[in-house]
Amino acid sequence: MMKKINQKLDAEEKAILKAFESGKLRSVSKLPKEKKRFQTIAKAHGIKNRRVSLRMTEWDFTRIQEEALKEGLPYQSLLSSIVHKYLTGQIK
């Protein structure tokens, strides 16, 4: 018997758990191929090897440095996060 772990799940996780428990989920055909595909995507997503030169006003640069300091991040990481969130539709 599996021990039930008390965790807080978000809405998406709850939906997945409900689908699993109700038997609606099915095994993926060609699992090794799909697993390798997702591993490749995950590895490519994590690679940070592109450098970008960006020109901005002194005011913008100072403000981004101040905001990064408040967040405890390097300003480059904050800029990267903002770009990523924009491209994934998390901010408009």
Side-chain angles (χ1 to χ4, degrees), residues 7-38:
Q7 293 181 348
K8 294 187 183 216
L9 303 176
D10 65 23
E12 182 180 14
E13 292 167 331
K14 287 177 183 176
I16 293 169
L17 180 59
K18 184 177 178 181
F20 174 77
E21 290 175 339
S22 68
K24 291 181 181 176
L25 297 181
R26 299 287 176 244
S27 182
V28 174
S29 64
K30 301 178 184 174
L31 181 61
K33 183 179 176 182
E34 281 295 293
K35 184 177 177 182
K36 181 153 180 65
R37 185 173 76 88
F38 282 110

Side-chain angles (χ1 to χ4, degrees), residues 5 11 15 27 40 48 50 58 63-64 73 75 79 86 89:
I5 299 173
S27 182
T40 302
K48 294 182 181 181
R50 302 285 189 240
E58 187 68 31
R63 290 289 295 129
I64 201 72
L73 296 170
Y75 73 89
L79 286 170
Y86 175 78

